[in-house]
Amino acid sequence: HQAREGDHQAERQELQGDEGQHAAVDRGGGDPGGRHAAQVEQRKPEGRRQERGLQVHGQHHAVPDQLRVGEAQGAGRGHEQGQQVRIRAVFHEPDPNFKYEILITPKMSFGTGHHETTSLMVEHQLGISHQNKRVLDAGCGTGVLAIMAHFLGATNIEAFDNDDWAVENTKENIDLNQCNHINAYLGTIESVDTNKRFDILLANINRNVLLKDIPSYAHLLVKNGYLLLSGFYESDVDDISAVTQSNGLEMVSKKSKNNWVSLVCKKLN
């Protein structure tokens, strides 16, 4: 938890500033920048109060209006139609122009899910069929990725975190988004029943945890199942890839943003 607290402090510092700047407002997982993260594009609609915020450990920080992810058909005919996913706090107005909207309640240091790695993971999710799939979100944070899996059609979803505040926040967000296929609980990868198998495993954590837990992820995946990874930098890709390959996982996709990376690996056997 010491590393986690350090990340939270870094995020609180990063959050400071006016709402016209990019801000990272998600919880950390071991590396600066956080576990569930994404680049935020600020919008300031006319005739609307611009100064929005939340209390984080007694400090007031600006809250980004939305996270926009994934190009949709019709992009270029207006920014409202150019994205598929919007992650918004409950106090922001809904926008029917987005195919998916995920509601998040900012809680303590866990923020609203905005940081590069969240964006990258969601982009990967949009490209993989989740219909009737079994999904595990390892280190769920705010629960954004598990909720996205629900919206994409997954019918059996587990989500765990080793921080009780994160689990509580995930459960609140599950209720907000009316996701009845997600079971969130306090634990680690060792808490998962080793007899279970998943079609998709989501792990947006940090380099060291991933290097340690990738063998367990590989064991829990079905043949041809997908492992989505993020929470590390370009300089970590070789180390991550070496461990995935040694555990029968083939890298099939890579995305990067501001030096953060997300990989998709497929289990070969």
Side-chain angles (χ1 to χ4, degrees), residues 29 40 50 236:
V40 177
Q50 312 262 327
D236 300 319

Side-chain angles (χ1 to χ4, degrees), residues 60-242:
H60 184 273
H61 299 300
V63 178
D65 201 14
Q66 63 183 16
L67 160 65
R68 294 154 32 115
V69 180
E71 291 299 323
Q73 289 185 355
R77 292 180 293 182
H79 67 271
E80 295 89 351
Q81 298 179 1
Q83 308 292 336
Q84 291 193 57
V85 182
R86 182 188 184 213
I87 301 173
R88 66 175 176 89
V90 292
F91 45 76
H92 289 134
E93 295 297 321
D95 188 336
N97 293 295
F98 290 88
K99 185 175 182 179
Y100 305 106
E101 276 200 322
I102 297 176
L103 299 179
I104 296 295
T105 299
K107 190 169 189 70
M108 299 297 285
S109 304
F110 304 124
T112 53
H114 301 118
H115 201 284
E116 282 85 354
T117 59
T118 301
S119 175
L120 294 170
M121 290 286 284
V122 171
E123 286 178 25
H124 276 312
Q125 285 185 270
L126 290 169
I128 295 173
S129 173
H130 286 59
Q131 195 67 38
N132 299 319
K133 301 297 186 182
R134 296 159 294 177
V135 177
L136 177 63
D137 185 357
C140 55
T142 55
V144 167
L145 301 183
I147 293 167
M148 189 73 247
H150 167 85
F151 285 160
L152 291 173
T155 53
N156 189 327
I157 306 167
E158 290 189 21
F160 69 80
D161 200 287
N162 65 358
D163 191 305
D164 53 357
W165 279 106
V167 175
E168 179 179 337
N169 193 204
T170 291
K171 290 180 177 180
E172 291 177 354
N173 294 332
I174 287 171
D175 290 341
L176 273 176
N177 292 276
Q178 302 179 19
C179 301
N180 54 1
H181 299 306
I182 303 176
N183 174 32
Y185 55 90
L186 183 68
T188 66
I189 193 64
E190 287 78 20
S191 307
V192 182
D193 185 348
T194 56
N195 293 315
K196 290 185 176 181
R197 294 295 180 269
F198 298 90
D199 301 290
I200 300 170
L201 198 152
L202 311 165
N204 185 6
I205 310 180
N206 66 64
R207 173 189 181 276
N208 291 338
V209 172
L210 294 177
L211 291 174
K212 177 177 72 71
D213 289 351
I214 283 172
S216 297
Y217 302 157
H219 174 77
L220 291 167
L221 280 173
V222 300
K223 182 179 179 181
N224 295 322
Y226 290 101
L227 174 61
L228 282 65
L229 302 172
S230 196
F232 52 92
Y233 300 113
E234 285 279 2
S235 58
D236 300 319
V237 171
D238 287 346
D239 290 339
I240 297 289
S241 296

